[in-house]
Amino acid sequence: MKNKSVRNIAIMGLGTVGGGAYDIIASNGDYIERTQGLDVRVKRILDRTDAPLRARGIDPSLYCGSVDELAADKEIEVVVETMGGVEPAKTFITKMLESGKSVVTANKELLAKFWHELEPIAAAHGCGLFFEASCVGGVPVIRALGESFQGDRVQSICGIINGTTNYILSKMSSENLGYAEALGAAQSLGYAEADPTSDVEGYDAAYKLSILGSLAFHTCLPYGSIYREGITKVTAADIKNAHDLGYEIKLLAIGKRDGNNVEARVHPAFVPKNHPLASVSGAYNAVYLNGDHVGDLMFYGAGAGAHPTGSAIVSDVIKALSDKPRYCDFANTGKLDKSVSLVGDFVSGYYLCVTVDDKAGVLSRLSTVLSDNGVSIKAATQSPSDGDAATVMFLTHRAREHAVMQSLEAIGKLASVRSVDSVIRVL
Amino acid sequence: MKNKSVRNIAIMGLGTVGGGAYDIIASNGDYIERTQGLDVRVKRILDRTDAPLRARGIDPSLYCGSVDELAADKEIEVVVETMGGVEPAKTFITKMLESGKSVVTANKELLAKFWHELEPIAAAHGCGLFFEASCVGGVPVIRALGESFQGDRVQSICGIINGTTNYILSKMSSENLGYAEALGAAQSLGYAEADPTSDVEGYDAAYKLSILGSLAFHTCLPYGSIYREGITKVTAADIKNAHDLGYEIKLLAIGKRDGNNVEARVHPAFVPKNHPLASVSGAYNAVYLNGDHVGDLMFYGAGAGAHPTGSAIVSDVIKALSDKPRYCDFANTGKLDKSVSLVGDFVSGYYLCVTVDDKAGVLSRLSTVLSDNGVSIKAATQSPSDGDAATVMFLTHRAREHAVMQSLEAIGKLASVRSVDSVIRVL
């Protein structure tokens, strides 16, 4: 006999995050029923085989091998997608939405690339597409961007939104390790994939910035429009120099909106030690933002992991079962709006590190190039390095990106310059 | 001709916060219409006279001197209450709810004392009672407690939720000032009232903890059940000792739930410098909490001020105009639930500072008293102070409150003890 009050959901992909969501519903189901008035049941679990169910001790009769069977099950109201990747997730989500089921997804890559295709399908079928779990694990920043400080124009958003790179940089910072060593440590602990490209090259952060920035600025911020630079070139020497100058190095995702000018970039950055983001360490993440009335806000928590991300999924499942779906309040076209200008020549402080011949007048020549390009120097040091070489380090005042890049091109051509070793922006 | 799409609201009390909310609607009204689809208009402003409207250059024809006239105005859907205090705010809010208008309030004292009376009135008339602005200014922690991590049992909540005391303690910490001096500075900048009792004695924080804790633990946490101690006894010497030991002193509001045991207390505390709350300075506030699956989360931002708090009010106005009202998911009786036990004998670390005769064996006698009461010492120092006196400082391991208080009573009776100067708990 069907229990009328039971609310059935399904999970597609019982990996780490899907398993975390299952665990939460299994362990806190009574609590959710008491506090939310919802008796949530996982009715079916779709995966390639039933092995993941058996491995977790889940009743194998929940197993479903056919996405069409899932779509046809009228008792299932909400489907959780925790498969990852673009396909077959995109096809499967589309089938679910077309059959009128709301979808809860943790899939930032899919969203960053195809949100504009999926949302109209959801809207056409009157169901919801929820994705709190796609960004910053259990930190409820998507909910906040949609349903808090709605009267504020968000002017900037700045986040540490990739756990892997923050773990690596924190490890380099606290243990004075090089990048390769710290990456190895992250891999051995499962914080980094065997192929870490998506994390360490900033793709993952760019996907998330595309989603968060679009919500924050109420306009499409396609991930392809985001300047992206990873952490693979950050050296132990950079971190030591940062410390000496009163900074930590973090991979930041920065978005800004000023009128119709929008700026979006992912890159390592010097963060002043007294900034709240500087103390966000290890696998923790945080999003710092500024609204024109609320001022500065920060949301901090675990950026990844089975249970934090599972918590966000369960939150969305409850939302999907309780509230009417919400859709974007901007034209979700997947492209930059025609009214919006993307700022490539943004303004930032810069840390520059150059190896030069240890000869008289070199520091002066470098300084002149910077000055000729309108780049003002905040701090400079020159120290002997190996043999007859010296290391020159500059910290600039806020300057235009293009002016700094032009300066570096000119500096690289100077006879006395051996190499431009590091260019890291300053928050 | 009435514009059908206009959504009319009223403001009761055009002080700092009411004025901030008015400003936001005035300056960002177009933005709110574009992004939220709501043309929000402030139709009437209730106050004792129209002087506050004139002072702000607001059209005096918006002035309303009669709460009954406001209640009778069927075009007004939502009323903002920013009068503060219990009466007449309580009577006025009741009239608005009874006339079917949703109410948005920033009034933590009223809520902490009469939420259990007001909510049933709202529910009976199908309208909402919204209060994001009552706690932690613009930081959307009430929204988060209601609509995020709903699948998590919140196990603890720990907040710096009073801006005045955090400003005073930060000032004492950064400028090595005594309490009275720092209070004076706060008063001269408008961060503290002429009569600062509600802030410095922890009443304000206890009101907020009552609200936040009730939402977090899904049970009534009456403000009268909260242990409360202010910051007036914190000395410059305590802050120096804290720094030497690697701590900052903060006024914390702490709530914990473990099964049916609930603990709630407001008091100054040593916060380890590497804890995210330690770097929450000045007028900033933060709420740190732990859910059984999401792990640790922190919400940080301006804890007070016209525009941050106004931002929270505008957010609630938008919520009130957009969504169906939500009510407590627990029995909102205003009393501790019979199933809940209030933990008075809680566990904490302690910093103790005692002035003694500078004689052999004194440190040993004090240590013995602590040990006899089962209080284990983590660190101890004895240093000479004025004349033939010495200062003994202890940092204890986690111990039971009652055991520490019994120890201090016994220590106070020792012949060689001149005074027990400081007792501050450690986070």
Side-chain angles (χ1 to χ4, degrees):
Chain A
M1 212 179 81
K2 189 186 157 192
N3 182 340
K4 287 259 179 202
S5 73
V6 169
R7 310 294 294 267
N8 289 297
I9 72 165
I11 297 175
M12 301 195 297
L14 194 70
T16 304
V17 172
Y22 182 90
D23 287 349
I24 296 171
I25 293 167
S27 65
N28 280 2
D30 292 351
Y31 179 80
I32 292 167
E33 187 172 1
R34 178 160 59 79
T35 60
Q36 307 294 326
L38 297 168
D39 183 4
V40 181
R41 304 275 177 92
V42 179
K43 191 186 175 201
R44 306 304 300 273
I45 298 174
L46 182 86
D47 213 313
R48 275 179 289 250
T49 71
D50 67 359
L53 285 79
R54 292 179 186 280
R56 290 174 178 272
I58 298 172
D59 178 0
S61 74
L62 298 191
Y63 178 70
C64 175
S66 156
V67 69
D68 293 311
E69 195 186 317
L70 211 59
D73 188 333
K74 300 238 177 289
E75 287 186 353
I76 294 171
E77 296 178 68
V78 176
V79 177
V80 171
E81 183 271 309
T82 39
M83 305 160 63
V86 170
E87 283 295 355
K90 181 170 176 251
T91 301
F92 286 14
I93 287 176
T94 301
K95 280 179 192 279
M96 296 305 141
L97 294 172
E98 286 175 347
S99 68
K101 302 181 196 319
S102 286
V103 169
V104 171
T105 178
N107 197 328
K108 59 237 165 192
E109 182 182 357
L110 177 60
L111 271 169
K113 294 179 178 171
F114 295 104
W115 183 11
H116 61 286
E117 290 190 20
L118 295 172
E119 187 175 86
I121 302 171
H125 293 84
C127 46
L129 180 64
F130 296 84
F131 46 88
E132 181 66 74
S134 68
C135 297
V136 211
V139 183
V141 64
I142 303 244
R143 195 82 84 239
L145 286 169
E147 303 184 43
S148 294
F149 49 89
Q150 307 99 308
D152 277 64
R153 286 175 214 265
V154 176
Q155 297 171 318
S156 67
I157 177 166
C158 181
I160 296 173
I161 59 178
N162 177 269
T164 304
T165 49
N166 203 44
Y167 179 85
I168 292 171
L169 291 171
S170 297
K171 190 96 180 161
M172 288 174 74
S173 173
S174 63
E175 298 178 23
N176 201 26
L177 300 182
Y179 168 74
E181 262 180 299
L183 170 63
Q187 284 172 322
S188 69
L189 284 165
Y191 286 133
E193 309 272 346
D195 175 2
T197 308
S198 175
D199 292 313
V200 300
E201 295 293 0
Y203 290 97
D204 176 85
Y207 295 148
K208 293 170 182 166
L209 179 58
S210 164
I211 299 166
L212 296 175
S214 298
L215 292 169
F217 303 135
H218 299 274
T219 190
C220 270
L221 193 68
Y223 89 100
S225 68
I226 296 170
Y227 173 86
R228 182 189 47 72
E229 186 184 314
I231 64 162
T232 58
K233 292 182 203 154
V234 176
T235 66
D238 294 330
I239 299 220
K240 189 189 171 304
N241 288 338
H243 287 180
D244 290 349
L245 293 159
Y247 295 86
E248 290 287 347
I249 299 182
K250 298 290 182 187
L251 181 71
L252 295 186
I254 297 172
K256 295 187 183 177
R257 176 160 194 169
D258 179 9
N260 282 326
N261 293 320
V262 168
E263 177 181 327
R265 43 194 170 104
V266 169
H267 54 66
F270 274 38
V271 178
K273 279 196 178 164
N274 63 0
H275 192 287
L277 286 173
S279 52
V280 176
S281 298
Y284 277 91
N285 278 191
V287 175
Y288 195 89
L289 59 83
N290 179 274
D292 62 347
H293 291 287
V294 75
D296 292 334
L297 291 174
M298 187 170 82
F299 300 85
Y300 165 98
H307 286 223
T309 310
S311 167
I313 286 174
V314 173
S315 171
D316 271 355
V317 166
I318 291 166
K319 195 86 176 159
L321 291 171
S322 309
D323 294 356
K324 59 178 194 264
R326 298 167 62 94
Y327 306 110
C328 283
D329 48 37
F330 53 86
N332 190 355
T333 60
K335 294 187 188 124
L336 269 183
D337 197 85
K338 276 176 192 158
S339 66
V340 165
S341 300
L342 192 68
V343 179
D345 193 16
F346 52 79
V347 170
S348 175
Y350 292 79
Y351 152 84
L352 311 172
C353 194
V354 183
T355 300
V356 298
D357 295 337
D358 194 356
K359 289 195 290 199
V362 177
L363 182 60
S364 154
R365 275 197 290 282
L366 299 188
S367 306
T368 303
V369 172
L370 288 168
S371 163
D372 287 351
N373 283 282
V375 178
S376 163
I377 295 163
K378 190 172 176 181
T381 62
Q382 175 166 346
S383 48
S385 59
D386 300 336
D388 55 355
T391 301
V392 174
M393 193 276 299
F394 291 107
L395 209 59
T396 79
H397 284 290
R398 289 167 64 76
R400 297 219 157 265
E401 169 85 3
H402 292 178
V404 173
M405 294 303 141
Q406 275 164 21
S407 306
L408 288 170
E409 207 184 318
I411 284 171
K413 289 177 184 162
L414 292 178
S416 47
V417 169
R418 299 188 183 183
S419 57
V420 175
D421 304 319
S422 301
V423 183
I424 300 180
R425 295 170 191 85
V426 178
L427 177 63
Chain B
M1 211 180 79
K2 187 187 157 191
N3 181 341
K4 287 261 180 202
S5 74
V6 168
R7 309 295 294 268
N8 289 298
I9 72 164
I11 296 175
M12 302 194 296
L14 195 70
T16 305
V17 172
Y22 181 90
D23 286 350
I24 296 171
I25 293 167
S27 64
N28 280 3
D30 292 351
Y31 180 80
I32 292 167
E33 188 171 3
R34 178 160 58 80
T35 60
Q36 307 296 325
L38 297 168
D39 184 3
V40 182
R41 302 276 178 91
V42 178
K43 191 186 174 200
R44 307 304 299 274
I45 297 173
L46 181 86
D47 214 313
R48 274 177 290 249
T49 72
D50 67 359
L53 285 76
R54 293 180 186 279
R56 289 174 179 272
I58 298 171
D59 178 0
S61 75
L62 298 192
Y63 177 70
C64 175
S66 154
V67 67
D68 293 312
E69 195 186 318
L70 210 60
D73 188 331
K74 299 238 176 289
E75 287 186 353
I76 293 171
E77 296 178 68
V78 176
V79 178
V80 170
E81 182 272 309
T82 41
M83 306 160 63
V86 169
E87 281 296 353
K90 183 171 175 247
T91 301
F92 287 13
I93 287 177
T94 302
K95 280 180 192 277
M96 296 305 143
L97 294 172
E98 285 174 348
S99 69
K101 302 182 197 315
S102 287
V103 169
V104 171
T105 178
N107 196 327
K108 59 238 166 190
E109 182 183 356
L110 178 59
L111 271 170
K113 293 179 178 171
F114 295 105
W115 184 10
H116 61 287
E117 289 189 21
L118 295 172
E119 185 173 90
I121 302 171
H125 293 84
C127 47
L129 179 64
F130 296 83
F131 47 88
E132 181 67 72
S134 68
C135 296
V136 210
V139 183
V141 64
I142 303 245
R143 197 78 86 237
L145 286 169
E147 302 184 43
S148 292
F149 49 87
Q150 308 99 308
D152 277 66
R153 286 173 214 264
V154 176
Q155 296 171 319
S156 67
I157 178 166
C158 180
I160 296 172
I161 58 179
N162 177 270
T164 304
T165 49
N166 204 44
Y167 179 85
I168 292 171
L169 291 171
S170 298
K171 191 98 179 158
M172 290 174 73
S173 174
S174 64
E175 297 178 25
N176 202 24
L177 299 182
Y179 168 74
E181 263 180 298
L183 170 64
Q187 283 171 324
S188 69
L189 284 166
Y191 286 133
E193 310 272 347
D195 174 1
T197 308
S198 176
D199 292 314
V200 301
E201 295 293 1
Y203 290 97
D204 177 86
Y207 295 147
K208 293 169 181 166
L209 179 58
S210 164
I211 299 165
L212 296 174
S214 297
L215 292 169
F217 303 135
H218 300 275
T219 191
C220 269
L221 194 67
Y223 90 100
S225 69
I226 296 171
Y227 174 86
R228 182 189 47 73
E229 186 183 313
I231 65 162
T232 57
K233 292 182 202 156
V234 176
T235 66
D238 293 331
I239 299 219
K240 189 187 173 303
N241 288 339
H243 287 180
D244 291 348
L245 292 159
Y247 295 85
E248 291 287 348
I249 298 181
K250 298 289 182 187
L251 181 71
L252 295 186
I254 298 172
K256 295 186 182 178
R257 176 160 195 171
D258 180 7
N260 282 325
N261 293 319
V262 168
E263 179 181 326
R265 43 195 170 103
V266 170
H267 54 66
F270 275 39
V271 178
K273 279 196 176 161
N274 63 0
H275 191 287
L277 287 172
S279 52
V280 176
S281 297
Y284 278 91
N285 278 190
V287 174
Y288 194 90
L289 60 82
N290 179 275
D292 61 348
H293 291 286
V294 74
D296 292 334
L297 292 174
M298 188 170 82
F299 301 85
Y300 165 99
H307 286 222
T309 309
S311 168
I313 285 174
V314 173
S315 171
D316 270 355
V317 166
I318 291 166
K319 195 85 178 161
L321 292 170
S322 308
D323 294 356
K324 59 177 195 267
R326 298 166 61 94
Y327 307 109
C328 283
D329 49 35
F330 53 86
N332 190 355
T333 59
K335 295 189 187 120
L336 269 184
D337 198 85
K338 277 177 192 158
S339 67
V340 165
S341 300
L342 191 68
V343 178
D345 192 17
F346 52 79
V347 170
S348 175
Y350 291 80
Y351 152 84
L352 310 172
C353 196
V354 183
T355 300
V356 297
D357 296 337
D358 194 359
K359 288 194 292 199
V362 177
L363 182 60
S364 154
R365 274 196 293 281
L366 298 187
S367 306
T368 302
V369 172
L370 289 167
S371 163
D372 287 350
N373 282 281
V375 178
S376 163
I377 296 163
K378 191 172 176 179
T381 63
Q382 177 167 345
S383 47
S385 60
D386 301 336
D388 55 355
T391 300
V392 174
M393 192 276 298
F394 291 106
L395 209 60
T396 78
H397 284 290
R398 289 167 64 74
R400 298 219 156 265
E401 169 85 3
H402 291 180
V404 174
M405 293 305 142
Q406 274 164 20
S407 305
L408 287 169
E409 206 184 319
I411 284 170
K413 288 177 185 163
L414 292 177
S416 47
V417 169
R418 298 187 184 184
S419 57
V420 174
D421 304 319
S422 301
V423 183
I424 301 180
R425 293 169 192 86
V426 179
L427 177 62

